[in-house]
Structure formats: structure tokens, C-alpha cells
């Protein structure tokens, strides 16, 4: 499940990811919010709080891939800062290994540093 976080600093977006992630989590929750910012000409400063990722359904994986092409390639300059907040070590390592490919800045934080992550993306 992907849920929009409502306790985020102005000019930022936050998404809480937990349990099973489905295609509809991308198409109904995350992508519309990201596209709104891009269409307004704003910069993307996003936070992904990953409590526990149990399974990413094939449809969700496909939407993630499409989003990468649609947003990250066509609107590369819109990405300013991305924070991944997780205690899942394998996700943190994967993000750090792939950070050089991510548009904008990417930083990984443990869940105990959620407030610092919010301040970083807003800064």
C-alpha cells in the first residue's frame, strides 16, 4: 500500500509504503501527486517512508518502471531531492548503490531520522 503523508513540509511530498504494493497504489495515489507538481512547473522534493515492504506485485513493478521513463526521463530536471526512509537494510543498500542513476539528489535515512529526512528534502 502507498499512502500520501499529510504531515510534510511545504513544497514536499511524502509517501508511506507498507505491506503489498499494487499497480493501483501507483496509478491512483503516487503518480497523480507527482504529475501535479511537474505540471505546475514545480520541483519534486519527495520522501518515501518504507515501513515494511512485503511484496511488490508485478503490476506495481511495471508502473514503477513506466514512471521512471515518464517522469524521470521526460522531466529529469524536476527532480530536486529524494529521501528514502527505511530500516530495511537491503532497500537502503540498493538505493545507495543506484543513487548515481537517480535524477536530483538521493539520500537514505533510517526511520529514527524521519524528521531529519523531512528537513533535508525541504532545505
Amino acid at each position: 500500500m502507498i499512502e500520501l503523508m499529510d504531515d510534510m513540509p511545504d513544497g514536499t511530498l511524502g509517501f508511506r509504503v507498507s505491506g503489498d504494493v499494487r499497480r493501483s497504489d501507483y496509478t491512483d495515489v503516487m503518480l497523480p501527486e507527482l504529475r501535479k507538481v511537474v505540471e505546475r512547473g514545480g520541483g519534486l522534493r519527495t520522501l518515501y517512508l518504507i515501513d515494511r515492504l512485503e511484496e511488490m506485485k508485478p503490476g506495481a513493478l511495471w508502473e514503477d518502471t513506466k514512471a521512471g521513463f515518464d517522469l524521470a526521463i521526460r522531466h529529469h530536471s524536476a527532480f530536486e531531492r529524494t529521501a528514502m526512509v527505511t530500516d530495511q537494510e537491503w532497500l537502503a543498500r540498493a538505493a545507495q548503490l543506484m543513487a548515481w542513476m537517480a535524477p536530483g539528489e538521493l539520500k537514505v535515512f533510517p526511520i529514527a531520522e524521519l524528521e531529519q529526512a523531512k528537513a533535508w528534502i525541504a532545505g
Side-chain angles (χ1 to χ4, degrees):
M1 172 186 337
I2 299 176
E3 302 171 293
L4 185 63
M5 296 171 60
D6 58 4
D7 56 342
M8 296 297 298
D10 289 341
T12 69
L13 286 174
F15 300 97
R16 181 181 308 273
V17 180
S18 63
D20 292 344
V21 177
R22 301 178 186 284
R23 173 180 294 207
S24 60
D25 293 319
Y26 279 88
T27 59
D28 300 344
V29 179
M30 190 170 65
L31 293 175
E33 295 297 327
L34 294 171
R35 284 189 179 114
K36 276 189 233 178
V37 173
V38 170
E39 288 168 5
R40 285 194 314 253
L44 288 169
R45 292 177 172 260
T46 54
L47 180 143
Y48 299 90
L49 172 58
I50 304 172
D51 292 325
R52 55 178 175 73
L53 180 61
E54 292 177 9
E55 183 178 2
M56 195 161 181
K57 302 290 186 187
L61 192 54
W62 177 243
E63 288 302 323
D64 186 57
T65 303
K66 286 187 345 188
F69 285 108
D70 180 44
L71 289 171
I73 291 176
R74 290 187 347 171
H75 303 286
H76 187 80
S77 62
F79 286 81
E80 294 177 1
R81 287 190 168 179
T82 302
M84 177 186 281
V85 182
T86 187
D87 286 339
Q88 291 190 313
E89 189 61 33
W90 70 272
L91 280 174
R93 261 190 245 146
Q96 290 165 339
L97 286 171
M98 304 303 263
W100 64 273
M101 291 188 340
E105 295 179 78
L106 172 76
K107 193 168 179 183
V108 180
F109 296 84
I111 290 177
E113 295 179 11
L114 176 60
E115 294 307 313
Q116 291 93 323
K118 288 178 183 182
W120 180 77
I121 63 166

